[in-house]
Amino acid sequence: MGNFFTDVLACHPLFRSSSRVSDTAMLEPNVRRKVLKIIEEAHSHGLELIAYETYRSQERQQALFKQKVTQLRTVGVHHYGLACDIVRVHNGEPTWEGDYSLVGHLARGHGLVWGGDWPSLRDEPHVQWCRVRDQAKLFRGDWYPDTQYDPTA
């Protein structure tokens, strides 16, 4: 039995893309619903957000590492369709500035892990559907979350 990573992402034309991917269709369906709901709810609070980066290939991860944009040399949770960078919009442009606490509140409310809660390497625009302690087995290919998975439990 497969999963979203093996059945959809691994055979997708963007699997090795070195470009930023913001298509929410590249998110695992549960993650996609949660991310879209966060964006919708933030809008009702007067905060405009976009899904800035959804899927990220190994090629893009290495390029970002070389540019010193990330401290992760190899792919992270984005590569598996389980993470999204949700970025504020100011004057029609994405911005990483400002208060992301509402994103954190909404992410937690929708059962996602918020990068702003991490004690080190805080990443306030980042949300993911994977506990940090589960990442190693995800990266090894030993595990992929099922629909009952709750990373906040």
Side-chain angles (χ1 to χ4, degrees):
M1 187 165 127
N3 58 50
F4 185 77
F5 176 73
T6 58
D7 296 346
V8 177
L9 295 180
C11 54
H12 197 281
L14 294 174
F15 187 70
R16 299 201 183 285
S17 174
S18 58
S19 299
R20 176 176 62 87
V21 175
S22 60
D23 185 356
T24 58
M26 298 293 282
L27 293 171
E28 189 278 337
N30 289 306
V31 179
R32 181 182 323 128
R33 280 189 295 277
K34 293 170 186 283
V35 164
L36 293 174
K37 196 69 174 161
I38 289 167
I39 292 170
E40 176 188 323
E41 289 177 14
H43 185 74
S44 72
H45 288 276
L47 180 61
E48 186 178 357
L49 300 171
I50 59 168
Y52 183 79
E53 188 159 26
T54 55
Y55 173 76
R56 186 181 298 154
S57 70
Q58 177 63 39
E59 291 78 2
R60 177 155 168 80
Q61 187 72 35
Q62 288 178 349
L64 292 172
F65 178 79
K66 287 178 185 175
Q67 296 167 17
K68 299 187 186 325
V69 175
T70 182
Q71 294 183 11
L72 297 176
R73 178 185 298 270
T74 58
V75 294
V77 179
H78 284 276
H79 185 67
Y80 298 88
L82 301 175
C84 183
D85 292 333
I86 302 174
V87 177
R88 294 170 57 100
V89 177
H90 180 70
N91 293 330
E93 295 294 324
T95 181
W96 290 259
E97 302 299 318
D99 181 7
Y100 275 83
S101 60
L102 181 61
V103 172
H105 173 75
L106 295 172
R108 283 185 228 101
H110 287 285
L112 295 175
V113 174
W114 179 48
D117 285 331
W118 296 336
S120 61
L121 298 176
R122 286 177 56 93
D123 189 357
E124 292 187 346
H126 181 90
V127 300
Q128 65 182 46
W129 194 46
C130 181
R131 290 183 203 102
V132 172
R133 69 177 181 256
D134 291 332
Q135 289 178 179
K137 62 185 176 180
L138 174 70
F139 300 160
R140 284 192 310 267
D142 296 341
W143 170 85
Y144 196 84
D146 63 22
T147 58
Q148 303 307 310
Y149 177 68
D150 181 358
T152 63

